[in-house]
Amino acid sequence: MEITSLSTSVQIEQVSSKLLQPIYDGDQPVSTTKSVPLTVFDKLADDQYIPSLYAYKPPNPSNSFLEQGLRKVLSEYREWAGRFGEDDNGQIVILLNDEGLRFIEASADCTIDQAIPFTVSTMLKLTPSFEESKELALVQLTRFTCGSVVVSFSSNHIVSDGVLVSQFMISWSQACRGLKIHPRPLHDRNIFVPRNPHSVKFDHRSIEITKRKINEDSTTMPPYSRDDLIHQILHFTPEFIAKIKNKASSSSSSCTGVKGVSSSRYSTFECLIAHLWRVITRARGLSESDKTYVKISVNGRRRMRPPVPHEYFGNVVLWAFPETQGKNLFDESLSHTAEVIHDAVENVNDEYFKSFIDFANKNQDDGNLMPMKVHHMKVPSFWPNLEVQSWLGFPFNNVDFGFGKASVVMPSFDPFEGEIYLVPAVVGDGSIYAHVTLFQQHLSLFKQICYNID
């Protein structure tokens, strides 16, 4: 177990930048579909780019090899080569115009071993700038002096969620190896049909609308600045994860009003987030009376009935918001916290997703149910709350361009205090890396207690 502090940087120079259009086989006609509508889930996604980094040591594919594979796979994933536009009714759509995906080549002035662990500065240089970008996806290939390459893929969240992005990366690697794309993406965004009559059973206005807005009240924010943000990587070994899960499953729970030994077995995700929520709340110095919640993305593909195919191209995400007071995180058991999280996630079920579809269709003209541009905050923070992005189910080891799996897979730097990414270790030993952004003023206490589960 360790905490990795990022402290060194490298020089990265952009060598070339161009647009890549799809390549179509002679027996594969171009679809006559001119545009793709946004669903109620796409409109709820923030207008921001989500970057991911894949590092490959030699031997690895050449840039031209990756480029050709990318052009081939874009024939199946045309949305990434398209642009946002409007239909005849003024609604935002994805234009399938094949204008192209941004493709950037860059070089670094050192070996990848000298650059790892990546600093925030390095991570940002490995990721192409998407300020004012019209492209819906951007790729950057950065070559190091040792021959290693870092593949960066950044995509606009309105177009799809992380589940589809992970599938796209596998499809890209299949195209590079000359394999057929399997499974092929499902492009039908007309599958989320409201019920007749509508049946809105939940207070979506207080959840999906109100809670999507980040608190910027200066009176409740700590007196820190953007310059105080610090990125930490925590390594949780299988042994540590087992201890946390055992503690969460064996400690007494009062969450349901029943004292005694808990018979529930919580997931790895629930136990790790329960632990981190408790630790970060203490490190932040929140009081017993302070309320705090965790924003957790919930994938609706398996939760909806009938299930939405895994290869569906788009967003199928709503959020759970487990909430409690500081005193419960300080005084109650780890099992209590895990149960708060478990119950909140379980409640975002088939009925909840369908209720939201009905709600959104009844309120189609509500501007709060349209994509929101993530603006620059003076102090970018989710304070006193957390936001969690889980990549634990993503099959990163299947992203093999023909030379083996990646040596490193990680998100780029997300400059929001309170943001957490959970990423499985590519070595496949069951360990997990947590990428956490905090204020440096809380780092000392955080380091003291982050591996303490007693």
Side-chain angles (χ1 to χ4, degrees), residues 343-401:
D343 289 349
V345 173
E346 284 297 301
N347 287 336
V348 187
N349 52 22
D350 173 65
E351 181 56 40
Y352 192 91
F353 272 89
K354 289 177 177 175
S355 174
F356 175 75
I357 292 171
D358 292 348
F359 168 79
N361 278 275
K362 283 183 65 176
N363 297 274
Q364 293 185 52
D365 297 328
D366 191 333
N368 290 305
L369 290 172
M370 295 299 290
M372 294 176 58
K373 191 74 175 178
V374 177
H375 62 283
H376 292 287
M377 298 171 59
K378 183 177 180 181
V379 183
S381 172
F382 292 109
W383 188 281
N385 309 306
L386 300 174
E387 179 165 307
V388 178
Q389 308 292 341
S390 176
W391 292 6
L392 296 184
F394 295 172
F396 294 122
N397 283 342
N398 293 339
V399 185
D400 180 352
F401 294 99

Side-chain angles (χ1 to χ4, degrees), residues 168-179 398-402:
F168 166 78
M169 294 298 295
I170 294 172
S171 297
W172 179 9
S173 71
Q174 289 173 337
C176 285
R177 286 180 285 158
L179 303 176
N398 293 339
V399 185
D400 180 352
F401 294 99

